[in-house]
Amino acid sequence: MLHRGTPPPVVLRRPIIGVMGSGREPHVELSEPLGTWLASTGCNLLTGGGRGVMECVSRTFSEVPGREGQIIGVIPALPGSQNDDNVIPPAGYPNPYTEIVIRTQCPLSMHPLTGTELTSRNHINILSSDIVVALPGSSGTWSEIQLAIRYRKPLILFLGEEGDDVDIAVEEFEDIKIAKNLHEVQVYLEEALERRRLRITSSFHSLGSPNISSSPNTTMGGGGGGGGGGGGGKEAVQQRQQQQQQQQGARQSPLSSPELVKGGVGEGREEGMMRNGAAAAVGGGGGGGGGEQEKVIGNEKGREEGRREG
């Protein structure tokens, strides 16, 4: 139970990597190795929950033994069904590898003119992701790229060696990161995860709260480098707690010093013994009173017997 004025505990949340891409073409040469590697990072995977890239990356992610992250799918609604009592997802949604299904009433996600409107579930995809990886796709993927830029999400395009032929207009954004191979994606994600870890631990320091708890399934970073990032996050939390304990010891009141606490325990024990002795004395007095009462009764019996004999 938290006492009044105690800051609530801060839970280290598992990172979510959003993978966006075509709902028709799986682009297996990109999706399969990406899904396998992401599963080794301990992060959660988020997709639009459909076919194509979304299904392929989810399948390989799910096939990694001992993975800790889960597969999240944000599902759109069939246009027109949001007016009915039962919102219907399009055919193929969710794909069979989606573990956490988030259904929405949002129908607009695939059209280039509506994919960024508020009734598009693309906003949920991007805002729920800590980092966004965009694979080849069409208008829906392009609108998600625009939203990632709008919401200032770490973003990398994984387009492969033939990326110049992908139908995504990125030339207007000069600073957008484009990767041609998985290694470039790994380096970018590990750096982004480390920045996230430092930002979170910095916020812990500013809060100055020792009530920091870590879910048993929480990681702060990815794979080889990211896993180390996770350990670094926990070490920073432990160091912070030790520093706060030392500061509390330095500010310790004289009334709570070990010597006085020890003396207080002794005084309490002595006082208890005195109380027990008084209780015993009272009990003994009660016993004595009982003896006197028996003596009086005996004398009266003797006098009565003497009168009968006389």
Side-chain angles (χ1 to χ4, degrees), residues 83-258:
N83 297 323
D84 301 331
D85 293 336
N86 185 22
V87 177
I88 303 172
Y93 289 82
N95 64 60
Y97 305 102
T98 301
E99 297 169 322
I100 301 176
V101 177
I102 301 177
R103 299 183 182 274
T104 73
Q105 85 290 2
C106 304
L108 306 177
S109 61
M110 303 178 188
H111 194 279
L113 299 179
T114 59
T116 57
E117 292 189 5
L118 292 179
T119 51
S120 168
R121 65 84 152 86
N122 294 343
H123 291 269
I124 303 174
N125 291 351
I126 300 303
L127 288 172
S128 300
S129 301
D130 294 301
I131 306 170
V132 177
V133 182
L135 274 65
S138 56
S139 56
T141 305
W142 172 232
S143 63
E144 287 166 329
I145 292 172
Q146 290 177 302
L147 290 174
I149 295 171
R150 177 192 301 182
Y151 294 127
R152 301 181 184 277
K153 293 288 183 174
L155 167 67
I156 185 169
L157 274 57
F158 184 23
L159 306 181
E161 298 295 340
E162 305 299 328
D164 294 339
D165 297 332
V166 176
D167 185 21
I168 295 180
V170 296
E171 62 275 0
E172 58 183 288
F173 300 103
E174 297 180 357
D175 57 348
I176 195 168
K177 179 67 176 178
I178 301 177
K180 292 189 175 182
N181 53 64
L182 181 61
H183 175 70
E184 294 177 353
V185 177
Q186 292 173 337
V187 171
Y188 180 85
L189 289 182
E190 288 173 354
E191 291 177 351
L193 287 168
E194 176 64 12
R195 289 194 299 270
R196 176 183 182 272
R197 183 189 68 80
L198 293 174
R199 184 175 67 253
I200 292 176
T201 53
S202 174
S203 67
F204 289 162
H205 289 192
S206 64
L207 286 173
S209 170
N211 299 317
I212 302 172
S213 61
S214 176
S215 167
N217 294 326
T218 300
T219 57
M220 296 293 294
K234 293 180 181 178
E235 290 176 1
V237 170
Q238 293 174 354
Q239 291 176 0
R240 178 61 179 171
Q241 291 174 338
Q242 292 175 357
Q243 291 174 358
Q244 290 176 341
Q245 290 173 357
Q246 293 172 357
Q247 292 173 359
Q248 290 175 357
R251 295 192 302 266
Q252 199 170 40
S253 169
L255 294 177
S256 61
S257 66

